[in-house]
Amino acid sequence: MNASTWSPRRAVFSAAALLLVIGLSGCGLTIPADPDGTLESVTGSELRVGVSADPGLVDTDRETPTGSIPDLVTGFADGIDAEVDWTNGSEETLVGMLERGDLDLVVGGFTADTPWVDRAGVTRGYPGIDGAEGREIVMLVPLGENAFLSELERYLDEEASS
């Protein structure tokens, strides 16, 4: 470092940044994180899924929903060793349940331009899902549960990307 680029202010800033990084690394901070621990709580346990019917994607006429989206959810749940507990309902009801912590995931015919972005975390859009007819399908998770969202997207990237 030459004298023209060194300054006491830069040295103090660099030292403070280094101390911050060292301090945070000792706090067990992981990124992405789940403030409410969704991924940890559902892994090896129960995945509470709200489902809204959508022709071609989700059929809710039976006790257990069928279709390409329930198949994806079941595959994801298998990958994290979770049992799926399905709840049928309207989008608004299910999003409210997601906000209250009564559900971990909400699925249906949600698209990339969903109006629920202010009330739920949203996966990337997946146009390659069977029955989507070119729509970019998304799934909803609790706001801020980024580790859970990342794990779900990793699965969807493998199984549903076109």
Side-chain angles (χ1 to χ4, degrees), residues 95 111-123 138 140-141 143:
V95 169
T111 63
D113 61 349
T114 182
W116 304 114
V117 295
D118 294 334
R119 297 177 59 189
V122 180
T123 65
V138 299
L140 309 179
V141 302
L143 278 173

Side-chain angles (χ1 to χ4, degrees), residues 19-132:
L19 287 174
L20 180 64
V21 168
I22 291 169
L24 289 176
S25 67
C27 294
L29 180 67
T30 58
I31 297 176
D34 279 349
D36 294 328
T38 301
L39 182 59
E40 184 177 334
S41 71
V42 300
T43 300
S45 187
E46 179 180 67
L47 178 64
R48 301 165 304 160
V49 181
V51 61
S52 182
D54 189 277
L57 293 170
V58 179
D59 181 359
T60 58
D61 289 341
R62 299 184 185 126
E63 185 175 330
T64 300
T66 58
S68 56
I69 291 181
D71 289 348
L72 285 169
V73 170
T74 301
F76 172 68
D78 289 347
I80 59 171
D81 193 31
E83 294 293 322
V84 179
D85 178 26
W86 298 100
T87 299
N88 296 333
S90 70
E91 289 183 9
E92 186 168 354
T93 297
L94 296 174
V95 169
M97 292 176 73
L98 187 70
E99 287 179 304
R100 289 190 303 277
D102 297 331
L103 295 173
D104 306 305
L105 177 63
V106 174
V107 299
F110 300 99
T111 63
D113 61 349
T114 182
W116 304 114
V117 295
D118 294 334
R119 297 177 59 189
V122 180
T123 65
R124 288 187 291 277
Y126 293 90
I129 296 175
D130 289 341

